[in-house]
Amino acid sequence: MKHTPRSLATAAFVIATAAITIGLNSPLAMANPPDGSHSSDTVGYGPELTDEAAAVAYGLANPDVAPQGTDDWSCKPDAAHPRPIVLVHGTWASAYSAYAYMGPELAKAGYCVFTFNYGRADTAGAGLVQPTIGATGYIEDSAAQLAAFVDRVLTTTGAAQVDTIGHSQGGVVIRQYLKSNGGADPSNPSDNKVSHVITYGATNHGTTLSGLGNLLGVFKGALGLDLNNPTETLIGHAGIQQLVGSPVLTRLNDGGDTLPGIDYTIVATQYDEVSTPFSATYLTAGPGATVHDVLLQDGCALDTSDHNSMVFSPRAVSLALHAIDPDAHPALACTLNPWVL
């Protein structure tokens, strides 16, 4: 039986809340977080792990390693697996800590699987804004980093399109790439660089961060304290950008949730404590797009995955394979996947 404790993303609540304790006048709270961010290739491989807590711990100690089976740049798609899969991790994570389980499973299914680290601070800042911690930079910059990586995958593999999988912020970065960085061509969907978008716990319409986002608003409205800046200093630009009503999400969703020619599978878990409320992850299909909004627990009450452990769920892997090729992968797994705080 696998027990998954509270993970890096959830623990970040404590660090974010510390911004309130630090106070607006302390040097740390007033410091501006580094604005620049970068992407980086993976280097070497970590072990295949089925437990989220173990993967997070290993990833913190080895931030650059890749999941087993991924980033084989000699891999070439075949007729049964025509599109490479690009995995995009979430906030405060790494390619390994997010996909130590899912990456190897997709590779075993015959796919060329690629992943990278993005949104890392160019220089060390406060709290989680560190060069070894991913996805703290501006979402717009991270989408540009994803665009360059997808182009590299397409060029190297010779494929016409990729399928993308995003966890948490990773789903938003994918959608930003599609809309603003050349991933999709609404005027000619046949030129889209992406065929399928599969997300897990993506903050598509913003998150309250289990009330933290609302709390920041209360402090500002009731006490006149704007704590967004000190909080952003500690958790990074992307953390604030994912709050409900943020300008980047407002622009992203303006004109509709989807783009033509793309198949979306949007997976939520009712036990999500980070992307809240969990239903805000769901998308509404626009012209020419297909959306499958899926609750992980539908048909499988055994799976009680939370925000981070959902990408370590066998059911989540089977949902991805089914979305990409339902004929080859018609069945969905249903196994016990608990988590404990």
Side-chain angles (χ1 to χ4, degrees), residues 82-165:
R83 295 178 302 275
I85 299 174
V86 174
L87 306 177
V88 188
H89 64 74
T91 316
W92 311 309
S94 67
Y96 177 81
S97 67
Y99 295 112
Y101 169 68
M102 184 176 287
E105 292 298 305
L106 296 172
K108 290 174 190 175
Y111 292 94
C112 297
V113 184
F114 297 92
T115 188
F116 71 124
N117 296 301
Y118 73 89
R120 290 183 168 184
D122 289 337
T123 57
L128 293 170
V129 184
Q130 304 297 328
T132 56
I133 295 178
T136 63
Y138 289 111
I139 287 172
E140 300 93 328
D141 293 342
S142 294
Q145 294 163 23
L146 173 60
F149 188 76
V150 169
D151 283 349
R152 180 181 172 193
V153 170
L154 292 174
T155 298
T156 303
T157 63
Q161 291 182 312
V162 300
D163 294 325
T164 56
I165 295 177

Side-chain angles (χ1 to χ4, degrees), residues 102-316:
M102 184 176 287
E105 292 298 305
L106 296 172
K108 290 174 190 175
Y111 292 94
C112 297
V113 184
F114 297 92
T115 188
F116 71 124
N117 296 301
Y118 73 89
R120 290 183 168 184
D122 289 337
T123 57
L128 293 170
V129 184
Q130 304 297 328
T132 56
I133 295 178
T136 63
Y138 289 111
I139 287 172
E140 300 93 328
D141 293 342
S142 294
Q145 294 163 23
L146 173 60
F149 188 76
V150 169
D151 283 349
R152 180 181 172 193
V153 170
L154 292 174
T155 298
T156 303
T157 63
Q161 291 182 312
V162 300
D163 294 325
T164 56
I165 295 177
H167 175 238
S168 194
Q169 184 197 151
V172 174
V173 170
I174 291 169
R175 293 182 59 224
Q176 178 73 19
Y177 157 61
L178 294 175
K179 185 169 185 176
S180 302
N181 296 89
D185 183 353
S187 65
N188 187 11
S190 63
D191 286 339
N192 290 349
K193 295 180 181 180
V194 174
S195 176
H196 292 79
V197 172
I198 303 161
T199 68
Y200 299 92
T203 49
N204 285 317
H205 294 104
T207 176
T208 69
L209 283 176
S210 288
L212 175 60
N214 294 338
L215 182 62
L216 294 175
V218 168
F219 270 81
K220 185 173 183 179
L223 302 177
L225 295 176
D226 186 350
L227 299 178
N228 277 22
N229 287 340
T231 303
E232 186 173 355
T233 298
L234 293 174
I235 69 174
H237 301 302
I240 294 296
Q241 285 187 312
Q242 291 173 85
L243 294 179
V244 172
S246 76
V248 69
L249 290 179
T250 299
R251 291 191 298 269
L252 178 61
N253 294 317
D254 183 37
D257 292 345
T258 63
L259 291 168
I262 296 176
D263 184 280
Y264 298 81
T265 297
I266 310 300
V267 183
T269 172
Q270 68 186 55
Y271 302 105
D272 202 318
E273 78 285 35
V274 176
S275 182
T276 58
F278 71 82
S279 57
T281 193
Y282 292 144
L283 301 180
T284 299
T290 303
V291 172
H292 313 272
D293 287 329
V294 180
L295 183 64
L296 195 65
Q297 287 75 34
D298 278 351
C300 186
L302 285 173
D303 196 323
T304 56
S305 302
D306 74 332
H307 182 74
N308 272 14
S309 62
M310 69 189 305
V311 285
F312 288 78
S313 159
R315 187 169 184 82

Side-chain angles (χ1 to χ4, degrees), residues 23-63:
L24 292 174
N25 294 321
S26 74
L28 177 58
M30 296 300 292
N32 291 322
D35 286 337
S37 68
H38 65 276
S39 64
S40 62
D41 285 348
T42 58
V43 180
Y45 292 90
E48 182 177 349
L49 295 174
T50 60
D51 184 86
E52 176 233 338
V56 168
Y58 191 93
L60 285 172
N62 303 274

